[in-house]
Amino acid sequence: MLIFIILLLLIIFKDIKVCGHKNEFHTDYCCQKQTSTVNGICTILIFLSHSRQYITLDGVLDAPYIALNDYMLQLVVVPFLFYSGFGIMESINKKGMPYVKSIPTNRFFKTWYHFAIALIPYVILGIIFNKGYTLKRIVLSFTGWSSIGNSNWYMLVTFALYLIVFLAFVIARRHKVLGVALVLIFTLGFALFEYKMGLGSRYYNTILCFPLGMIFSLIKPYIDKIVMKNDIMWCLSFTVLFAAYYYFASNKKDTIIHYILWCFLAMSLILLFTMKVKIGNSILDWFSNHIFSVFFLQRIPMIILEELGYTKHRYAFIVVSFIATVLLATVFDEAMAWLDSKIFKRKNVNIAK
């Protein structure tokens, strides 16, 4: 597994742009291209993490990856939630209530029907391999509540957050601070609901990163003014946040509060890092443009290879699964782009961007 991490690092550092001049910063560190690139990297890490669930990693070169994977836990989804909250708030700031009113159609429904179509192969595989899924489980899987071999918890959270934002800003209207406050309150309520329902901690231990992203959208101009004043302020900010991160990383399993703060601080360090280092190249651009399809379809080849008995060949399993996922994602996104053009009017699509 170590070789895959080395390859990923080589891809990440290909064509990076580091601020080389005094008091120089990348002011576009939260632009869509950069945030999508960070998410693209996380998508690859999620692929490697998911592949581990199907194979046995007991080689000498597997140990470093296992340690890294066990350390990161849910950190790989933190940027997805944070940047999603940030991006939605930026759109609300620019487009106002027309954007809010478009959320049920251009955010919720569009994401759901992509998800529903991507779920069909899992239903088929369940039948072919005689998984014995009940009708109730299959129906609930289309909400993200249950799984039929697919990754489901993140989709359930995504659907809930879209509805929460819509409800919050329908109530708050043009009062943005109130709207974000309501999103935070409703998200806390939903997290508590998930906890009370006995869902795994992965359902709620990172969910607050979404309203955090919205809050950051509101305060970003003030943060930038302070942190980007000069290199000294940036270094001081990084040092203080890293010290806090190190403390909570050492205690992240003590309480859910420690875990959440650990996630918050990790995201803060990513923001500071991208102020100074811009990541991006053609390889990462591809993954940043196919995040959903790669994330959701990757288990299909993994399930097939597992059923065919190829899990003993762990590295071949990863390579074949990866290639198959890329091919599936390419075909799926082409099909969805065509279908979107038939379902959504151009003016509505523009509102959602």
Side-chain angles (χ1 to χ4, degrees), residues 287-306:
F287 282 96
S288 67
N289 290 324
H290 298 272
I291 288 172
F292 173 84
S293 53
V294 170
F295 170 77
F296 197 77
L297 299 174
Q298 60 187 243
R299 288 187 184 271
I300 293 175
M302 293 179 186
I303 291 171
I304 294 173
L305 290 173
E306 180 186 39

Side-chain angles (χ1 to χ4, degrees), residues 237-347:
S237 300
F238 195 94
T239 301
V240 171
L241 288 174
F242 183 80
Y245 168 84
Y246 182 80
Y247 170 78
F248 285 105
S250 303
N251 301 280
K252 61 179 179 289
K253 294 183 179 181
D254 290 353
T255 68
I256 187 66
I257 300 299
H258 283 79
Y259 196 98
I260 292 171
L261 290 174
W262 173 58
C263 292
F264 284 3
L265 290 163
M267 191 64 232
S268 299
L269 291 175
I270 291 173
L271 292 173
L272 286 172
F273 179 79
T274 51
M275 287 181 186
K276 282 290 187 180
V277 180
K278 180 174 290 188
I279 305 169
N281 54 62
S282 57
I283 299 174
L284 292 177
D285 285 347
W286 187 91
F287 282 96
S288 67
N289 290 324
H290 298 272
I291 288 172
F292 173 84
S293 53
V294 170
F295 170 77
F296 197 77
L297 299 174
Q298 60 187 243
R299 288 187 184 271
I300 293 175
M302 293 179 186
I303 291 171
I304 294 173
L305 290 173
E306 180 186 39
E307 292 293 334
L308 294 178
Y310 286 101
T311 55
K312 293 181 179 179
H313 310 283
R314 55 182 182 271
Y315 302 130
F317 176 92
I318 294 172
V319 172
V320 173
S321 295
F322 186 80
I323 294 172
T325 298
V326 169
L327 293 175
L328 285 172
T330 301
V331 173
F332 179 83
D333 285 338
E334 287 290 334
M336 290 302 99
W338 177 84
L339 198 55
D340 288 346
S341 69
K342 302 299 180 181
I343 295 176
F344 295 92
K345 295 180 180 179
R346 181 172 297 277
K347 63 180 181 180

Side-chain angles (χ1 to χ4, degrees), residues 76-215:
V76 288
V77 300
V78 166
F80 288 101
L81 291 163
F82 179 89
Y83 287 138
S84 181
F86 175 84
I88 286 177
M89 192 62 224
E90 289 289 289
S91 294
I92 293 174
N93 281 330
K94 294 175 183 176
K95 302 168 186 176
M97 286 307 295
Y99 176 81
V100 173
K101 292 177 181 178
S102 76
I103 289 176
T105 301
N106 291 326
R107 281 284 186 174
F108 181 88
F109 174 73
K110 187 175 182 180
T111 302
W112 178 82
Y113 99 81
H114 283 197
F115 166 72
I117 292 175
L119 198 58
I120 293 173
Y122 288 95
V123 176
I124 296 172
L125 288 178
I127 296 172
I128 293 174
F129 296 122
N130 195 26
K131 294 293 187 179
Y133 299 132
T134 64
L135 179 60
K136 179 182 178 181
R137 182 170 177 176
I138 293 173
V139 171
L140 287 177
S141 71
F142 281 85
T143 68
W145 186 268
S146 64
S147 169
I148 52 174
N150 60 291
S151 300
N152 66 304
W153 75 265
Y154 187 82
M155 299 311 302
L156 174 66
V157 166
T158 297
F159 298 144
L161 289 172
Y162 286 161
L163 294 178
I164 284 172
V165 172
F166 176 72
L167 176 61
F169 279 89
V170 165
I171 294 172
R173 304 297 293 177
R174 293 177 177 79
H175 302 284
K176 296 172 185 176
V177 174
L178 175 60
V180 173
L182 289 174
V183 170
L184 177 60
I185 293 169
F186 294 159
T187 302
L188 280 168
F190 181 69
L192 181 61
F193 167 76
E194 292 179 304
Y195 172 76
K196 292 293 186 180
M197 291 298 295
L199 298 178
S201 60
R202 64 186 180 279
Y203 282 81
Y204 52 82
N205 60 14
T206 57
I207 194 172
L208 289 179
C209 291
F210 182 88
L212 177 67
M214 300 187 77
I215 293 171

Side-chain angles (χ1 to χ4, degrees), residues 56-71:
T56 300
L57 298 176
D58 53 9
V60 175
L61 295 181
D62 295 329
Y65 170 74
I66 292 173
L68 174 66
N69 188 232
D70 290 345
Y71 173 80

